[in-house]
mmCIF file with all atom_site columns, all heavy atoms in Angstrom:
data_model
loop_
_atom_site.group_PDB
_atom_site.id
_atom_site.type_symbol
_atom_site.label_atom_id
_atom_site.label_alt_id
_atom_site.label_comp_id
_atom_site.label_asym_id
_atom_site.label_entity_id
_atom_site.label_seq_id
_atom_site.pdbx_PDB_ins_code
_atom_site.Cartn_x
_atom_site.Cartn_y
_atom_site.Cartn_z
_atom_site.occupancy
_atom_site.B_iso_or_equiv
_atom_site.pdbx_formal_charge
_atom_site.auth_seq_id
_atom_site.auth_comp_id
_atom_site.auth_asym_id
_atom_site.auth_atom_id
_atom_site.pdbx_PDB_model_num
ATOM 1  N N   . ASP M 1 122 ? 38.412 23.096 37.656 1.00 0.00 ? 122 ASP M N   1
ATOM 2  C CA  . ASP M 1 122 ? 39.292 22.632 36.584 1.00 0.00 ? 122 ASP M CA  1
ATOM 3  C C   . ASP M 1 122 ? 38.790 23.160 35.239 1.00 0.00 ? 122 ASP M C   1
ATOM 4  O O   . ASP M 1 122 ? 39.572 23.654 34.420 1.00 0.00 ? 122 ASP M O   1
ATOM 5  C CB  . ASP M 1 122 ? 39.309 21.108 36.525 1.00 0.00 ? 122 ASP M CB  1
ATOM 6  C CG  . ASP M 1 122 ? 39.845 20.481 37.808 1.00 0.00 ? 122 ASP M CG  1
ATOM 7  O OD1 . ASP M 1 122 ? 40.691 21.114 38.459 1.00 0.00 ? 122 ASP M OD1 1
ATOM 8  O OD2 . ASP M 1 122 ? 39.415 19.369 38.143 1.00 0.00 ? 122 ASP M OD2 1
ATOM 9  N N   . ALA M 1 153 ? 25.612 22.753 24.892 1.00 0.00 ? 153 ALA M N   1
ATOM 10 C CA  . ALA M 1 153 ? 25.900 22.062 23.637 1.00 0.00 ? 153 ALA M CA  1
ATOM 11 C C   . ALA M 1 153 ? 26.096 20.565 23.883 1.00 0.00 ? 153 ALA M C   1
ATOM 12 O O   . ALA M 1 153 ? 25.550 19.729 23.160 1.00 0.00 ? 153 ALA M O   1
ATOM 13 C CB  . ALA M 1 153 ? 27.148 22.655 22.991 1.00 0.00 ? 153 ALA M CB  1
ATOM 14 N N   . VAL M 1 223 ? 14.609 4.067  35.552 1.00 0.00 ? 223 VAL M N   1
ATOM 15 C CA  . VAL M 1 223 ? 15.165 5.406  35.692 1.00 0.00 ? 223 VAL M CA  1
ATOM 16 C C   . VAL M 1 223 ? 14.284 6.243  36.606 1.00 0.00 ? 223 VAL M C   1
ATOM 17 O O   . VAL M 1 223 ? 13.087 6.391  36.361 1.00 0.00 ? 223 VAL M O   1
ATOM 18 C CB  . VAL M 1 223 ? 15.287 6.114  34.331 1.00 0.00 ? 223 VAL M CB  1
ATOM 19 C CG1 . VAL M 1 223 ? 15.915 7.491  34.505 1.00 0.00 ? 223 VAL M CG1 1
ATOM 20 C CG2 . VAL M 1 223 ? 16.101 5.274  33.366 1.00 0.00 ? 223 VAL M CG2 1
ATOM 21 N N   . LEU M 1 324 ? 2.243  31.415 57.700 1.00 0.00 ? 324 LEU M N   1
ATOM 22 C CA  . LEU M 1 324 ? 2.976  32.378 56.878 1.00 0.00 ? 324 LEU M CA  1
ATOM 23 C C   . LEU M 1 324 ? 3.373  33.553 57.754 1.00 0.00 ? 324 LEU M C   1
ATOM 24 O O   . LEU M 1 324 ? 2.521  34.167 58.402 1.00 0.00 ? 324 LEU M O   1
ATOM 25 C CB  . LEU M 1 324 ? 2.109  32.869 55.718 1.00 0.00 ? 324 LEU M CB  1
ATOM 26 C CG  . LEU M 1 324 ? 2.652  34.076 54.937 1.00 0.00 ? 324 LEU M CG  1
ATOM 27 C CD1 . LEU M 1 324 ? 3.961  33.739 54.245 1.00 0.00 ? 324 LEU M CD1 1
ATOM 28 C CD2 . LEU M 1 324 ? 1.632  34.566 53.909 1.00 0.00 ? 324 LEU M CD2 1
ATOM 29 N N   . LEU M 1 344 ? 7.978  24.026 68.862 1.00 0.00 ? 344 LEU M N   1
ATOM 30 C CA  . LEU M 1 344 ? 7.253  22.811 68.483 1.00 0.00 ? 344 LEU M CA  1
ATOM 31 C C   . LEU M 1 344 ? 7.703  21.596 69.282 1.00 0.00 ? 344 LEU M C   1
ATOM 32 O O   . LEU M 1 344 ? 7.090  20.536 69.211 1.00 0.00 ? 344 LEU M O   1
ATOM 33 C CB  . LEU M 1 344 ? 7.431  22.520 66.989 1.00 0.00 ? 344 LEU M CB  1
ATOM 34 C CG  . LEU M 1 344 ? 6.804  23.519 66.030 1.00 0.00 ? 344 LEU M CG  1
ATOM 35 C CD1 . LEU M 1 344 ? 7.107  23.122 64.600 1.00 0.00 ? 344 LEU M CD1 1
ATOM 36 C CD2 . LEU M 1 344 ? 5.308  23.599 66.242 1.00 0.00 ? 344 LEU M CD2 1
ATOM 37 N N   . THR M 1 425 ? 58.782 31.655 38.058 1.00 0.00 ? 425 THR M N   1
ATOM 38 C CA  . THR M 1 425 ? 59.287 30.354 37.636 1.00 0.00 ? 425 THR M CA  1
ATOM 39 C C   . THR M 1 425 ? 58.221 29.562 36.896 1.00 0.00 ? 425 THR M C   1
ATOM 40 O O   . THR M 1 425 ? 58.472 28.955 35.856 1.00 0.00 ? 425 THR M O   1
ATOM 41 C CB  . THR M 1 425 ? 59.725 29.544 38.874 1.00 0.00 ? 425 THR M CB  1
ATOM 42 O OG1 . THR M 1 425 ? 60.644 30.338 39.617 1.00 0.00 ? 425 THR M OG1 1
ATOM 43 C CG2 . THR M 1 425 ? 60.356 28.244 38.471 1.00 0.00 ? 425 THR M CG2 1
ATOM 44 N N   . ARG M 1 426 ? 57.038 29.626 37.440 1.00 0.00 ? 426 ARG M N   1
ATOM 45 C CA  . ARG M 1 426 ? 55.947 28.877 36.864 1.00 0.00 ? 426 ARG M CA  1
ATOM 46 C C   . ARG M 1 426 ? 55.658 29.330 35.433 1.00 0.00 ? 426 ARG M C   1
ATOM 47 O O   . ARG M 1 426 ? 55.502 28.504 34.530 1.00 0.00 ? 426 ARG M O   1
ATOM 48 C CB  . ARG M 1 426 ? 54.729 29.079 37.751 1.00 0.00 ? 426 ARG M CB  1
ATOM 49 C CG  . ARG M 1 426 ? 53.546 28.296 37.328 1.00 0.00 ? 426 ARG M CG  1
ATOM 50 C CD  . ARG M 1 426 ? 52.327 28.993 37.882 1.00 0.00 ? 426 ARG M CD  1
ATOM 51 N NE  . ARG M 1 426 ? 51.309 28.022 38.206 1.00 0.00 ? 426 ARG M NE  1
ATOM 52 C CZ  . ARG M 1 426 ? 51.248 27.378 39.338 1.00 0.00 ? 426 ARG M CZ  1
ATOM 53 N NH1 . ARG M 1 426 ? 52.139 27.606 40.290 1.00 0.00 ? 426 ARG M NH1 1
ATOM 54 N NH2 . ARG M 1 426 ? 50.302 26.503 39.538 1.00 0.00 ? 426 ARG M NH2 1
ATOM 55 N N   . SER M 1 545 ? 29.020 13.975 46.972 1.00 0.00 ? 545 SER M N   1
ATOM 56 C CA  . SER M 1 545 ? 28.927 15.279 47.617 1.00 0.00 ? 545 SER M CA  1
ATOM 57 C C   . SER M 1 545 ? 28.529 15.117 49.078 1.00 0.00 ? 545 SER M C   1
ATOM 58 O O   . SER M 1 545 ? 28.161 14.038 49.521 1.00 0.00 ? 545 SER M O   1
ATOM 59 C CB  . SER M 1 545 ? 27.904 16.155 46.903 1.00 0.00 ? 545 SER M CB  1
ATOM 60 O OG  . SER M 1 545 ? 26.610 15.733 47.229 1.00 0.00 ? 545 SER M OG  1
ATOM 61 N N   . ARG M 1 599 ? 7.894  25.429 40.582 1.00 0.00 ? 599 ARG M N   1
ATOM 62 C CA  . ARG M 1 599 ? 8.082  24.021 40.938 1.00 0.00 ? 599 ARG M CA  1
ATOM 63 C C   . ARG M 1 599 ? 9.025  23.875 42.122 1.00 0.00 ? 599 ARG M C   1
ATOM 64 O O   . ARG M 1 599 ? 8.861  23.004 42.962 1.00 0.00 ? 599 ARG M O   1
ATOM 65 C CB  . ARG M 1 599 ? 8.638  23.242 39.738 1.00 0.00 ? 599 ARG M CB  1
ATOM 66 C CG  . ARG M 1 599 ? 7.635  23.022 38.635 1.00 0.00 ? 599 ARG M CG  1
ATOM 67 C CD  . ARG M 1 599 ? 8.147  22.020 37.615 1.00 0.00 ? 599 ARG M CD  1
ATOM 68 N NE  . ARG M 1 599 ? 9.257  22.530 36.828 1.00 0.00 ? 599 ARG M NE  1
ATOM 69 C CZ  . ARG M 1 599 ? 9.107  23.149 35.668 1.00 0.00 ? 599 ARG M CZ  1
ATOM 70 N NH1 . ARG M 1 599 ? 7.898  23.312 35.161 1.00 0.00 ? 599 ARG M NH1 1
ATOM 71 N NH2 . ARG M 1 599 ? 10.149 23.599 35.008 1.00 0.00 ? 599 ARG M NH2 1
#
Side-chain angles (χ1 to χ4, degrees):
Chain M
D122 298 329
V223 182
L324 169 64
L344 293 178
T425 306
R426 184 203 213 85
S545 75
R599 288 191 291 268

